[in-house]
Amino acid sequence: MAMALRTAAAAAPRGLRRLFSTTSNPAINFPPSAATATQQREKREPSTNLFVSGLSKRTTTEKLQEAFSQFGEVVHARVVTDRLSGYSKGFGFVNYATLEGAANGIKGMDGQFLDGWVIFAEYARPRPPPGQHENNMSSPYSRR
DNA sequence: CGTGAGCGG
């Protein structure tokens, strides 16, 4: 009973994150022919790294880990804060032990209230491992 | 100002 509270709050999928980018330009919005379907649209690859956004400015790392530890074993959680001022940026990262733990954490905390604000949990983006010294002066070529 | 989109050390 009373299980429809998470629907109204989290009624904003990854679509409202960027505001309605009304790119309704019927002039420069026309793919030539090859429809590059190799682009990431929504389905993100499952990973133990979870990106949590919508956190309150006073939400700390402990609160995050404690909230996400209820759905899985959280190896490490971190709320991104500014090194200059020290205030939270409003989002954090949660590292689960396994992939299924992360999936349960997302379905369990995505769209829930934390500190009075609705938080969003999803898989974090794959980032380049710090093992490449060959820095190519910025080469933004690889783009799934 | 901690004002509210976003991806860290």
Side-chain angles (χ1 to χ4, degrees):
Chain A
M1 338 170 213
M3 238 182 166
L5 264 175
R6 51 179 72 175
T7 327
R14 296 171 254 273
L16 294 181
R17 299 240 186 156
R18 278 193 121 181
L19 291 175
F20 291 93
S21 282
T22 329
T23 331
S24 301
N25 258 16
I28 51 177
N29 197 7
F30 248 90
S33 32
T36 31
T38 340
Q39 272 189 345
Q40 58 163 185
R41 230 131 262 232
E42 284 233 351
K43 199 62 186 186
R44 197 135 293 153
E45 213 163 305
S47 51
T48 45
N49 277 341
L50 290 191
F51 172 67
V52 187
S53 45
L55 298 176
S56 190
K57 305 293 167 136
R58 38 201 137 182
T59 306
T60 176
T61 309
E62 301 183 323
K63 190 86 187 253
L64 245 190
Q65 194 196 342
E66 199 176 297
F68 277 79
S69 292
Q70 301 174 100
F71 300 93
E73 184 181 354
V74 178
V75 185
H76 183 221
R78 169 187 280 116
V79 173
V80 181
T81 43
D82 192 275
R83 289 284 304 218
L84 310 172
S85 44
Y87 286 105
S88 334
K89 290 186 180 175
F91 60 92
F93 292 91
V94 180
N95 202 290
Y96 272 92
T98 72
L99 296 177
E100 60 177 18
N104 287 328
I106 291 183
K107 297 181 199 172
M109 291 299 299
D110 180 46
Q112 297 301 89
F113 278 92
L114 188 63
D115 232 28
W117 284 87
V118 188
I119 67 174
F120 295 94
E122 54 175 302
Y123 299 108
R125 289 184 181 167
R127 55 105 196 237
Q132 284 192 328
H133 279 129
E134 239 69 37
N135 211 342
N136 268 36
M137 248 207 291
S138 41
S139 306
Y141 276 110
S142 296
R143 180 106 27 187
R144 305 175 59 145

